[in-house]
Amino acid sequence: MTTLVRWEPVTRPRPFFRAFDRFFDDPFWPSPTVKSVNGGPRTPTLDMYEADEEVVVRTALPGVTPEDVQITIEDGYLEIRAQISSEVVDEKARWVRRELLSGDYGRKVALPTGLEHDRAEASYDHGILTLRIPKAESARPKQIKISAKSK
């Protein structure tokens, strides 16, 4: 006797996607907050947006103290470097899972032109570093008034 099974081309093959999901649960997979390329220094993710009067850069640096962060602006590039040291654990301990990151963090990105780097201000709150860089007066948007010549 033959059993007929309805074929549905849109149904995903369950074993494949279970394996795919397990891949992303792997403890060696980088966290979404900090990426590492080829085992090199970790690269923190960041947001950068431009407002009328300033450019704002925000990056998550969990577990980092403000004293361990260096911010440099040079030749139109912003560089953020930080270091977090791991807690000393008993050498005889056998890791079951290790996801808390430690080591060097670094990120270098190009900045828009027309900024006043010497007036930049940085703050750090709940693991989020926020950098505000004012725009030069010449780079700010200008409102142009219209004069009407009507009778």
Side-chain angles (χ1 to χ4, degrees):
M1 179 168 181
T2 306
T3 304
L4 292 176
V5 178
R6 182 176 175 183
W7 180 63
E8 296 185 33
V10 215
T11 304
R12 64 186 191 171
R14 301 277 183 232
F16 170 76
F17 282 94
R18 271 193 297 271
F20 190 75
D21 291 341
R22 274 195 313 269
F23 175 74
F24 286 102
D25 288 337
D26 189 307
F28 299 107
W29 187 258
S31 104
T33 304
V34 180
K35 302 179 288 185
S36 178
V37 180
N38 297 328
R42 292 169 185 90
T43 305
T45 57
L46 59 79
D47 291 337
M48 183 186 309
Y49 64 90
E50 188 173 347
D52 285 344
E53 297 187 7
E54 64 186 357
V55 168
V56 179
V57 180
R58 297 183 72 226
T59 184
L61 295 172
V64 175
T65 61
E67 296 79 27
D68 293 331
V69 179
Q70 296 85 40
I71 303 168
T72 307
I73 299 175
E74 186 176 13
D75 296 328
Y77 285 90
L78 165 68
E79 184 173 15
I80 300 172
R81 302 202 56 73
Q83 182 166 3
I84 184 170
S85 54
S86 63
E87 181 180 330
V88 177
V89 178
D90 181 5
E91 292 178 11
K92 296 177 184 177
R94 186 177 63 84
W95 289 100
V96 175
R97 190 167 186 98
R98 188 172 190 179
E99 295 179 356
L100 295 175
L101 300 172
S102 63
D104 293 327
Y105 295 76
R107 184 77 188 262
K108 190 172 187 176
V109 293
L111 291 171
T113 58
L115 300 179
E116 294 183 353
H117 305 146
D118 55 334
R119 292 186 44 222
E121 294 180 0
S123 61
Y124 186 78
D125 188 34
H126 297 300
I128 303 293
L129 173 69
T130 302
L131 179 65
R132 297 180 178 281
I133 311 167
K135 289 182 180 179
E137 190 64 39
S138 61
R140 295 181 186 180
K142 306 285 188 277
Q143 290 288 332
I144 300 172
K145 295 185 180 188
I146 302 172
S147 60
K149 294 183 181 180
S150 57
K151 295 184 181 192

